[in-house]
Amino acid sequence: MNTIIMLFLISLLILVHELGHFFAARMFGVRVSKFGFGLPIGPTLFKTKWGDTEVLVHAFLLGGYVSFPDDEEKEEEAKKALKEKSGETAEDKKEDKKEDKKDVLPLDSPERFRNKKPWQKAVIVSAGVFMNVVFAIFLTILAAAWYHRLPTGTSDVFVKEVVSENNSSNIIKADIQPGDRIKSINGINVTSTYKFIFVVQNSKYFDGFADSEIITKKIEELKRLNPKTDFENRIPKETVLKLPLSMPEKPLRISEEVASGYEKYKNPEIALTKEEITLRDEIQGKTSLTLKEDIEPESLAKALSDTYKPITIVLDRDGHEIVLNNIYTDKNGVLGLKLETRENFVETNTPKEIVSNSINYLWNSTKLMGFGLWQLVTGKIPMSEMHGIVVITKVGSDIIETYGMLNGLLLTAIISIDLAIINLLPIPALDGGHLMFLALEKILGRELDEKITEGIGRFFFLLLIILMVYVIFNDIFALVTHKF
């Protein structure tokens, strides 16, 4: 049922977007030939007539469109050209005669989109985006008024339990108790379990990476402890070496963007080879080593450098701050803490609170989406992280089941804003691309060559379809691998 609800809400967004184009066109007296729900790929599930407009529901439901007589006539011309090229049959000629009897608008008709003023065209093209923004505001205000609260996007994270069984982390010896609120970890404010877990997992004991500066220091320590050994060349087997004491690595230092998942984490350290990892495990706790084979000094230093990254956790216990220093995980990157989160909300009881907090919620969400889109465009977030309707439906269904309809409505509002942002991008085949062409016409003072604009539009439409297929593949792969 939750999946059906989420699909219905997403379908509403597409419907609202296309209705924006439709009503704006009718407002300026432009005839709408077709109102399509879904893309014209594969079979048409439903077809009816509403005035001069043919309403269609396509099997490929990912999207929608509004087309004008200009578009329809171009499509018919293309079909006829294809028939002439392949050779018309008697049946085709009969169909052509039927088509010729259709009500064809004169080229100078005010009902044609092409005959409208540039600003009117721009309003019609951008009306879908406008409606998505309005609908997002409506949904958020509705949720705020109905549930009398809105999430702030942050949570308080508490210690639910300290697991002592089979726990080799030193957290069990630290001053930590169930009910303690985790304020920060390594200087990062803990406003979600994601932040806390991210820092912990990337501070893993024996993570297979070593810092270049520590590697250099380890070579210097080896030279000092073994003055008679030549560390400028490979060290021969059977050499007995004194080993420096095992010391912690540098603490993990990352930005808020990385800790929040808005930016991909790139480990700046040097990866150990399989041989170096084997050597690292062999020398743990030893003060000396007899080499079984020749070895590069740097390989030995790397094996000595991979230990653990110390974690600093700041707790709040009944208003008192407690600082835990030099905490480390076990070899699997586990601390042994069971966590509990409590989402933070702002109250929306008065009309002023409802409107102001709703706008604030959407504004903050829009900034995060804009930042995420920029990260994707600049390559800081890989294309493999792009997801579409399949994952959105799954995640939305889970959110409704876990957190209730409030979060489901708010997720739909955020998706509506996201749809508006994506459609405004200056990419042909999207609303932003049409606005870009209109702006170029205004700047040049003349209409652009139709054949060129149509060719560009078809090319980018094909790219858009390919991208949609890729995203669906990503979605299915993510679900199969239990990523979501």
Side-chain angles (χ1 to χ4, degrees):
M1 179 56 70
N2 291 329
T3 301
I4 293 171
I5 291 171
M6 200 62 219
L7 277 171
F8 172 74
L9 290 172
I10 293 171
S11 299
L12 267 183
L13 300 184
I14 299 170
L15 184 63
V16 163
H17 182 92
E18 298 307 328
L19 282 174
H21 293 307
F22 177 83
F23 286 121
R26 298 305 300 137
M27 181 176 68
F28 292 119
V30 175
R31 182 181 295 186
V32 178
S33 300
K34 288 182 179 178
F35 184 98
F37 192 76
L39 296 179
I41 299 170
T44 299
L45 302 178
F46 175 78
K47 185 190 295 185
T48 189
K49 199 80 172 175
W50 184 22
D52 293 325
T53 305
E54 189 177 22
V55 180
L56 306 101
V57 178
H58 300 288
F60 194 81
L61 289 172
L62 302 181
Y65 64 94
V66 164
S67 65
F68 307 114
D70 313 66
D71 305 313
E72 296 301 307
E73 286 163 19
K74 287 171 191 172
E75 187 180 332
E76 289 304 322
E77 286 173 12
K79 284 180 181 177
K80 286 182 181 180
L82 185 62
K83 286 178 184 178
E84 288 172 7
K85 193 173 181 181
S86 59
E88 277 191 318
T89 64
E91 193 65 32
D92 291 332
K93 288 178 181 178
K94 287 181 182 178
E95 289 296 321
D96 288 343
K97 286 180 181 179
K98 288 180 183 177
E99 293 294 327
D100 291 338
K101 289 179 182 178
K102 280 187 177 181
D103 181 22
V104 179
L105 288 174
L107 291 177
D108 61 349
S109 171
E111 288 188 86
R112 286 185 178 272
F113 176 79
R114 63 181 298 172
N115 295 329
K116 294 301 174 182
K117 295 176 181 178
W119 71 268
Q120 292 174 323
K121 292 180 182 177
V123 170
I124 294 170
V125 169
S126 58
V129 168
F130 174 75
M131 285 297 289
N132 276 133
V133 173
V134 170
F135 192 59
I137 294 171
F138 167 75
L139 283 178
T140 308
I141 288 176
L142 174 66
W146 188 266
Y147 292 95
H148 302 291
R149 61 178 187 171
L150 285 173
T152 63
T154 65
S155 299
D156 287 334
V157 181
F158 296 87
V159 177
K160 186 176 182 180
E161 182 185 345
V162 182
V163 180
S164 57
E165 187 177 353
N166 299 321
N167 189 354
S168 58
S169 164
N170 67 345
I171 196 77
I172 57 176
K173 299 176 183 177
D175 181 16
I176 187 167
Q177 298 176 10
D180 289 346
R181 182 173 70 85
I182 302 173
K183 291 180 65 176
S184 68
I185 180 168
N186 282 15
I188 299 289
N189 291 327
V190 177
T191 55
S192 68
T193 54
Y194 178 88
K195 286 185 177 182
F196 183 82
I197 292 170
F198 184 90
V199 174
V200 169
Q201 290 183 341
N202 284 280
S203 300
K204 179 182 174 181
Y205 211 118
F206 294 164
D207 64 353
F209 290 87
D211 182 78
S212 58
E213 189 177 325
I214 295 177
I215 293 170
T216 302
K217 287 181 179 179
K218 289 298 177 185
I219 291 176
E220 294 302 318
E221 287 182 36
L222 285 166
K223 286 179 179 179
R224 180 175 53 81
L225 292 169
N226 306 276
K228 294 181 180 181
T229 303
D230 180 11
F231 284 93
E232 301 304 321
N233 299 294
R234 287 179 66 87
I235 308 169
K237 66 178 181 179
E238 304 302 333
T239 302
V240 179
L241 295 172
K242 289 183 179 180
L243 301 178
L245 294 174
S246 178
M247 298 294 288
E249 301 176 47
K250 294 178 181 178
L252 180 71
R253 298 298 180 197
I254 54 173
S255 66
E256 282 282 347
E257 288 76 16
V258 170
S260 301
Y262 302 132
E263 189 174 328
K264 189 178 180 182
Y265 174 60
K266 294 181 180 178
N267 195 330
E269 298 180 332
I270 301 169
L272 273 66
T273 64
K274 289 182 180 179
E275 292 76 16
E276 289 163 351
I277 289 173
T278 301
L279 180 59
R280 176 203 67 190
D281 295 340
E282 181 186 340
I283 61 180
Q284 287 307 306
K286 293 183 178 179
T287 56
S288 65
L289 173 69
T290 302
L291 297 180
K292 297 177 182 177
E293 56 185 21
D294 295 355
I295 191 171
E296 291 287 348
E298 187 177 358
S299 292
L300 177 58
K302 284 168 70 177
L304 288 164
S305 301
D306 182 19
T307 55
Y308 70 92
K309 294 177 178 66
I311 299 170
T312 299
I313 300 173
V314 179
L315 305 172
D316 177 81
R317 183 183 298 160
D318 300 325
H320 299 287
E321 188 174 274
I322 299 168
V323 181
L324 309 180
N325 290 307
N326 201 36
I327 301 298
Y328 56 79
T329 73
D330 66 11
K331 294 178 183 179
N332 295 314
V334 175
L335 273 181
L337 293 180
K338 288 186 179 180
L339 304 176
E340 179 184 0
T341 59
R342 299 173 195 169
E343 194 172 12
N344 294 320
F345 294 89
V346 289
E347 291 187 355
T348 53
N349 294 316
T350 66
K352 182 181 178 181
E353 287 177 342
I354 289 169
V355 174
S356 63
N357 287 330
S358 294
I359 298 299
N360 187 53
Y361 175 83
L362 280 177
W363 175 243
N364 289 332
S365 299
T366 303
K367 285 193 294 182
L368 288 178
M369 281 187 291
F371 180 77
L373 182 61
W374 175 250
Q375 296 293 86
L376 185 65
V377 170
T378 55
K380 291 182 179 179
I381 295 177
M383 289 283 287
S384 58
E385 295 298 315
M386 282 186 66
H387 294 290
I389 190 169
V390 178
V391 161
I392 289 170
T393 303
K394 170 67 169 63
V395 171
S397 174
D398 291 345
I399 284 174
I400 292 172
E401 184 175 349
T402 306
Y403 300 103
M405 199 59 204
L406 167 63
N407 291 68
L409 289 172
L410 294 176
L411 176 62
T412 308
I414 291 170
I415 296 169
S416 190
I417 291 289
D418 188 43
L419 189 61
I421 292 172
I422 296 297
N423 266 286
L424 269 182
L425 294 177
I427 299 172
L430 296 178
D431 294 342
H434 292 300
L435 289 173
M436 178 181 67
F437 285 142
L438 288 172
L440 285 173
E441 287 181 4
K442 185 70 177 176
I443 293 168
L444 296 174
R446 60 178 175 80
E447 288 189 359
L448 300 176
D449 189 294
E450 278 192 34
K451 289 184 178 179
I452 294 175
T453 55
E454 285 174 18
I456 294 172
R458 287 195 195 98
F459 174 74
F460 276 92
F461 180 76
L462 179 61
L463 286 183
L464 190 63
I465 295 298
I466 293 170
L467 180 62
M468 288 172 71
V469 172
Y470 172 79
V471 168
I472 290 172
F473 173 80
N474 268 359
D475 287 357
I476 294 170
F477 181 77
L479 293 180
V480 169
T481 56
H482 304 289
K483 185 176 178 181
F484 291 96

mmCIF file of all heavy atoms in Angstrom, residues 354-383:
data_model
loop_
_atom_site.group_PDB
_atom_site.id
_atom_site.type_symbol
_atom_site.label_atom_id
_atom_site.label_comp_id
_atom_site.label_asym_id
_atom_site.label_seq_id
_atom_site.Cartn_x
_atom_site.Cartn_y
_atom_site.Cartn_z
ATOM 1 N N ILE A 354 3.408 28.134 10.290
ATOM 2 C CA ILE A 354 3.180 27.185 9.191
ATOM 3 C C ILE A 354 3.849 27.688 7.911
ATOM 4 O O ILE A 354 4.604 26.957 7.265
ATOM 5 C CB ILE A 354 1.673 26.967 8.959
ATOM 6 C CG1 ILE A 354 1.068 26.167 10.117
ATOM 7 C CG2 ILE A 354 1.425 26.240 7.642
ATOM 8 C CD1 ILE A 354 -0.448 26.119 10.106
ATOM 9 N N VAL A 355 3.589 28.948 7.556
ATOM 10 C CA VAL A 355 4.113 29.492 6.295
ATOM 11 C C VAL A 355 5.617 29.695 6.363
ATOM 12 O O VAL A 355 6.367 29.254 5.477
ATOM 13 C CB VAL A 355 3.399 30.820 5.945
ATOM 14 C CG1 VAL A 355 4.040 31.462 4.714
ATOM 15 C CG2 VAL A 355 1.919 30.585 5.697
ATOM 16 N N SER A 356 6.103 30.368 7.417
ATOM 17 C CA SER A 356 7.533 30.693 7.503
ATOM 18 C C SER A 356 8.392 29.431 7.616
ATOM 19 O O SER A 356 9.426 29.311 6.937
ATOM 20 C CB SER A 356 7.809 31.624 8.692
ATOM 21 O OG SER A 356 7.473 30.984 9.914
ATOM 22 N N ASN A 357 7.978 28.481 8.446
ATOM 23 C CA ASN A 357 8.763 27.248 8.597
ATOM 24 C C ASN A 357 8.687 26.357 7.354
ATOM 25 O O ASN A 357 9.646 25.651 7.042
ATOM 26 C CB ASN A 357 8.296 26.471 9.830
ATOM 27 C CG ASN A 357 8.724 27.130 11.133
ATOM 28 O OD1 ASN A 357 9.753 27.799 11.192
ATOM 29 N ND2 ASN A 357 7.933 26.975 12.172
ATOM 30 N N SER A 358 7.559 26.411 6.640
ATOM 31 C CA SER A 358 7.434 25.647 5.395
ATOM 32 C C SER A 358 8.381 26.195 4.337
ATOM 33 O O SER A 358 9.089 25.442 3.660
ATOM 34 C CB SER A 358 5.996 25.689 4.874
ATOM 35 O OG SER A 358 5.124 25.016 5.752
ATOM 36 N N ILE A 359 8.398 27.528 4.186
ATOM 37 C CA ILE A 359 9.302 28.163 3.209
ATOM 38 C C ILE A 359 10.751 27.895 3.588
ATOM 39 O O ILE A 359 11.593 27.595 2.726
ATOM 40 C CB ILE A 359 9.036 29.686 3.128
ATOM 41 C CG1 ILE A 359 7.601 29.954 2.648
ATOM 42 C CG2 ILE A 359 10.045 30.350 2.202
ATOM 43 C CD1 ILE A 359 7.272 29.421 1.275
ATOM 44 N N ASN A 360 11.051 27.992 4.887
ATOM 45 C CA ASN A 360 12.414 27.748 5.361
ATOM 46 C C ASN A 360 12.840 26.303 5.092
ATOM 47 O O ASN A 360 13.964 26.036 4.655
ATOM 48 C CB ASN A 360 12.494 28.059 6.858
ATOM 49 C CG ASN A 360 13.924 27.998 7.377
ATOM 50 O OD1 ASN A 360 14.828 28.638 6.847
ATOM 51 N ND2 ASN A 360 14.148 27.213 8.423
ATOM 52 N N TYR A 361 11.910 25.363 5.338
ATOM 53 C CA TYR A 361 12.200 23.942 5.097
ATOM 54 C C TYR A 361 12.507 23.698 3.621
ATOM 55 O O TYR A 361 13.485 23.025 3.279
ATOM 56 C CB TYR A 361 10.999 23.102 5.532
ATOM 57 C CG TYR A 361 11.145 21.629 5.224
ATOM 58 C CD1 TYR A 361 11.842 20.778 6.076
ATOM 59 C CD2 TYR A 361 10.587 21.088 4.060
ATOM 60 C CE1 TYR A 361 11.985 19.426 5.785
ATOM 61 C CE2 TYR A 361 10.729 19.741 3.764
ATOM 62 C CZ TYR A 361 11.430 18.922 4.631
ATOM 63 O OH TYR A 361 11.578 17.589 4.328
ATOM 64 N N LEU A 362 11.678 24.249 2.731
ATOM 65 C CA LEU A 362 11.884 24.062 1.296
ATOM 66 C C LEU A 362 13.151 24.752 0.808
ATOM 67 O O LEU A 362 13.865 24.232 -0.053
ATOM 68 C CB LEU A 362 10.682 24.591 0.516
ATOM 69 C CG LEU A 362 9.467 23.667 0.454
ATOM 70 C CD1 LEU A 362 8.331 24.356 -0.288
ATOM 71 C CD2 LEU A 362 9.804 22.348 -0.217
ATOM 72 N N TRP A 363 13.447 25.925 1.365
ATOM 73 C CA TRP A 363 14.644 26.659 0.957
ATOM 74 C C TRP A 363 15.907 25.876 1.317
ATOM 75 O O TRP A 363 16.823 25.740 0.494
ATOM 76 C CB TRP A 363 14.669 28.043 1.597
ATOM 77 C CG TRP A 363 15.927 28.823 1.323
ATOM 78 C CD1 TRP A 363 16.853 29.254 2.226
ATOM 79 C CD2 TRP A 363 16.405 29.248 0.041
ATOM 80 N NE1 TRP A 363 17.875 29.912 1.606
ATOM 81 C CE2 TRP A 363 17.629 29.931 0.258
ATOM 82 C CE3 TRP A 363 15.924 29.125 -1.259
ATOM 83 C CZ2 TRP A 363 18.372 30.478 -0.781
ATOM 84 C CZ3 TRP A 363 16.671 29.669 -2.306
ATOM 85 C CH2 TRP A 363 17.873 30.334 -2.057
ATOM 86 N N ASN A 364 15.950 25.351 2.543
ATOM 87 C CA ASN A 364 17.113 24.552 2.956
ATOM 88 C C ASN A 364 17.244 23.282 2.117
ATOM 89 O O ASN A 364 18.352 22.881 1.737
ATOM 90 C CB ASN A 364 17.003 24.184 4.441
ATOM 91 C CG ASN A 364 17.204 25.376 5.355
ATOM 92 O OD1 ASN A 364 17.898 26.328 4.996
ATOM 93 N ND2 ASN A 364 16.591 25.362 6.515
ATOM 94 N N SER A 365 16.111 22.651 1.811
ATOM 95 C CA SER A 365 16.127 21.442 0.983
ATOM 96 C C SER A 365 16.600 21.758 -0.430
ATOM 97 O O SER A 365 17.356 20.985 -1.038
ATOM 98 C CB SER A 365 14.727 20.821 0.924
ATOM 99 O OG SER A 365 14.280 20.455 2.209
ATOM 100 N N THR A 366 16.170 22.915 -0.960
ATOM 101 C CA THR A 366 16.585 23.327 -2.311
ATOM 102 C C THR A 366 18.084 23.586 -2.365
ATOM 103 O O THR A 366 18.748 23.212 -3.341
ATOM 104 C CB THR A 366 15.805 24.587 -2.738
ATOM 105 O OG1 THR A 366 14.400 24.316 -2.683
ATOM 106 C CG2 THR A 366 16.181 24.997 -4.149
ATOM 107 N N LYS A 367 18.619 24.218 -1.332
ATOM 108 C CA LYS A 367 20.073 24.478 -1.295
ATOM 109 C C LYS A 367 20.855 23.173 -1.291
ATOM 110 O O LYS A 367 21.869 23.045 -1.981
ATOM 111 C CB LYS A 367 20.431 25.305 -0.047
ATOM 112 C CG LYS A 367 20.050 26.761 -0.144
ATOM 113 C CD LYS A 367 20.699 27.601 0.954
ATOM 114 C CE LYS A 367 20.192 27.219 2.313
ATOM 115 N NZ LYS A 367 20.780 28.075 3.383
ATOM 116 N N LEU A 368 20.373 22.195 -0.524
ATOM 117 C CA LEU A 368 21.048 20.896 -0.466
ATOM 118 C C LEU A 368 20.986 20.182 -1.813
ATOM 119 O O LEU A 368 21.972 19.582 -2.257
ATOM 120 C CB LEU A 368 20.404 20.013 0.609
ATOM 121 C CG LEU A 368 20.673 20.417 2.066
ATOM 122 C CD1 LEU A 368 19.924 19.486 3.003
ATOM 123 C CD2 LEU A 368 22.164 20.374 2.373
ATOM 124 N N MET A 369 19.820 20.268 -2.490
ATOM 125 C CA MET A 369 19.688 19.633 -3.802
ATOM 126 C C MET A 369 20.579 20.318 -4.835
ATOM 127 O O MET A 369 21.198 19.659 -5.670
ATOM 128 C CB MET A 369 18.235 19.654 -4.258
ATOM 129 C CG MET A 369 17.383 18.587 -3.606
ATOM 130 S SD MET A 369 15.740 18.508 -4.297
ATOM 131 C CE MET A 369 15.042 20.038 -3.723
ATOM 132 N N GLY A 370 20.629 21.645 -4.776
ATOM 133 C CA GLY A 370 21.494 22.386 -5.688
ATOM 134 C C GLY A 370 22.957 22.025 -5.478
ATOM 135 O O GLY A 370 23.720 21.848 -6.449
ATOM 136 N N PHE A 371 23.337 21.886 -4.213
ATOM 137 C CA PHE A 371 24.711 21.503 -3.891
ATOM 138 C C PHE A 371 25.000 20.092 -4.403
ATOM 139 O O PHE A 371 26.050 19.825 -4.984
ATOM 140 C CB PHE A 371 24.928 21.571 -2.378
ATOM 141 C CG PHE A 371 26.319 21.189 -1.943
ATOM 142 C CD1 PHE A 371 27.379 22.066 -2.097
ATOM 143 C CD2 PHE A 371 26.575 19.946 -1.380
ATOM 144 C CE1 PHE A 371 28.656 21.720 -1.708
ATOM 145 C CE2 PHE A 371 27.847 19.583 -0.985
ATOM 146 C CZ PHE A 371 28.895 20.481 -1.145
ATOM 147 N N GLY A 372 24.039 19.191 -4.196
ATOM 148 C CA GLY A 372 24.208 17.810 -4.661
ATOM 149 C C GLY A 372 24.326 17.728 -6.170
ATOM 150 O O GLY A 372 25.135 16.958 -6.701
ATOM 151 N N LEU A 373 23.519 18.533 -6.880
ATOM 152 C CA LEU A 373 23.576 18.565 -8.348
ATOM 153 C C LEU A 373 24.932 19.077 -8.818
ATOM 154 O O LEU A 373 25.518 18.540 -9.772
ATOM 155 C CB LEU A 373 22.456 19.459 -8.884
ATOM 156 C CG LEU A 373 22.345 19.575 -10.404
ATOM 157 C CD1 LEU A 373 22.067 18.215 -11.028
ATOM 158 C CD2 LEU A 373 21.259 20.576 -10.799
ATOM 159 N N TRP A 374 25.442 20.101 -8.143
ATOM 160 C CA TRP A 374 26.762 20.646 -8.492
ATOM 161 C C TRP A 374 27.849 19.603 -8.269
ATOM 162 O O TRP A 374 28.776 19.459 -9.078
ATOM 163 C CB TRP A 374 27.040 21.906 -7.677
ATOM 164 C CG TRP A 374 28.424 22.458 -7.884
ATOM 165 C CD1 TRP A 374 29.464 22.459 -6.995
ATOM 166 C CD2 TRP A 374 28.913 23.077 -9.077
ATOM 167 N NE1 TRP A 374 30.577 23.034 -7.557
ATOM 168 C CE2 TRP A 374 30.270 23.422 -8.834
ATOM 169 C CE3 TRP A 374 28.352 23.366 -10.317
ATOM 170 C CZ2 TRP A 374 31.061 24.055 -9.792
ATOM 171 C CZ3 TRP A 374 29.138 23.992 -11.277
ATOM 172 C CH2 TRP A 374 30.466 24.324 -11.005
ATOM 173 N N GLN A 375 27.734 18.850 -7.177
ATOM 174 C CA GLN A 375 28.701 17.794 -6.894
ATOM 175 C C GLN A 375 28.671 16.723 -7.980
ATOM 176 O O GLN A 375 29.709 16.175 -8.364
ATOM 177 C CB GLN A 375 28.403 17.138 -5.537
ATOM 178 C CG GLN A 375 28.530 18.057 -4.336
ATOM 179 C CD GLN A 375 29.955 18.492 -4.087
ATOM 180 O OE1 GLN A 375 30.433 19.467 -4.651
ATOM 181 N NE2 GLN A 375 30.653 17.759 -3.269
ATOM 182 N N LEU A 376 27.467 16.446 -8.495
ATOM 183 C CA LEU A 376 27.312 15.445 -9.557
ATOM 184 C C LEU A 376 27.929 15.956 -10.862
ATOM 185 O O LEU A 376 28.650 15.226 -11.549
ATOM 186 C CB LEU A 376 25.825 15.130 -9.756
ATOM 187 C CG LEU A 376 25.478 14.017 -10.731
ATOM 188 C CD1 LEU A 376 25.982 12.666 -10.226
ATOM 189 C CD2 LEU A 376 23.973 13.952 -10.948
ATOM 190 N N VAL A 377 27.650 17.219 -11.196
ATOM 191 C CA VAL A 377 28.160 17.811 -12.438
ATOM 192 C C VAL A 377 29.685 17.897 -12.418
ATOM 193 O O VAL A 377 30.350 17.652 -13.425
ATOM 194 C CB VAL A 377 27.548 19.214 -12.662
ATOM 195 C CG1 VAL A 377 28.236 19.942 -13.809
ATOM 196 C CG2 VAL A 377 26.055 19.093 -12.937
ATOM 197 N N THR A 378 30.253 18.221 -11.260
ATOM 198 C CA THR A 378 31.709 18.362 -11.149
ATOM 199 C C THR A 378 32.419 17.036 -10.923
ATOM 200 O O THR A 378 33.643 16.997 -10.817
ATOM 201 C CB THR A 378 32.067 19.337 -10.006
ATOM 202 O OG1 THR A 378 31.460 18.890 -8.775
ATOM 203 C CG2 THR A 378 31.594 20.742 -10.323
ATOM 204 N N GLY A 379 31.654 15.938 -10.828
ATOM 205 C CA GLY A 379 32.259 14.615 -10.703
ATOM 206 C C GLY A 379 32.628 14.212 -9.291
ATOM 207 O O GLY A 379 33.222 13.149 -9.078
ATOM 208 N N LYS A 380 32.283 15.040 -8.303
ATOM 209 C CA LYS A 380 32.596 14.694 -6.918
ATOM 210 C C LYS A 380 31.674 13.591 -6.390
ATOM 211 O O LYS A 380 32.007 12.905 -5.436
ATOM 212 C CB LYS A 380 32.511 15.943 -6.029
ATOM 213 C CG LYS A 380 33.621 16.946 -6.332
ATOM 214 C CD LYS A 380 33.562 18.156 -5.423
ATOM 215 C CE LYS A 380 34.702 19.127 -5.734
ATOM 216 N NZ LYS A 380 34.653 20.329 -4.877
ATOM 217 N N ILE A 381 30.510 13.476 -7.027
ATOM 218 C CA ILE A 381 29.617 12.343 -6.770
ATOM 219 C C ILE A 381 29.550 11.542 -8.063
ATOM 220 O O ILE A 381 29.207 12.094 -9.118
ATOM 221 C CB ILE A 381 28.207 12.803 -6.358
ATOM 222 C CG1 ILE A 381 28.261 13.535 -5.016
ATOM 223 C CG2 ILE A 381 27.259 11.616 -6.261
ATOM 224 C CD1 ILE A 381 26.933 14.082 -4.550
ATOM 225 N N PRO A 382 29.878 10.259 -8.054
ATOM 226 C CA PRO A 382 29.906 9.468 -9.294
ATOM 227 C C PRO A 382 28.517 9.242 -9.869
ATOM 228 O O PRO A 382 27.516 9.280 -9.153
ATOM 229 C CB PRO A 382 30.557 8.148 -8.849
ATOM 230 C CG PRO A 382 30.255 8.044 -7.393
ATOM 231 C CD PRO A 382 30.252 9.455 -6.876
ATOM 232 N N MET A 383 28.461 8.990 -11.194
ATOM 233 C CA MET A 383 27.194 8.732 -11.873
ATOM 234 C C MET A 383 26.490 7.508 -11.311
ATOM 235 O O MET A 383 25.267 7.396 -11.386
ATOM 236 C CB MET A 383 27.455 8.519 -13.367
ATOM 237 C CG MET A 383 27.843 9.774 -14.119
ATOM 238 S SD MET A 383 26.418 10.830 -14.453
ATOM 239 C CE MET A 383 25.578 9.900 -15.734
#
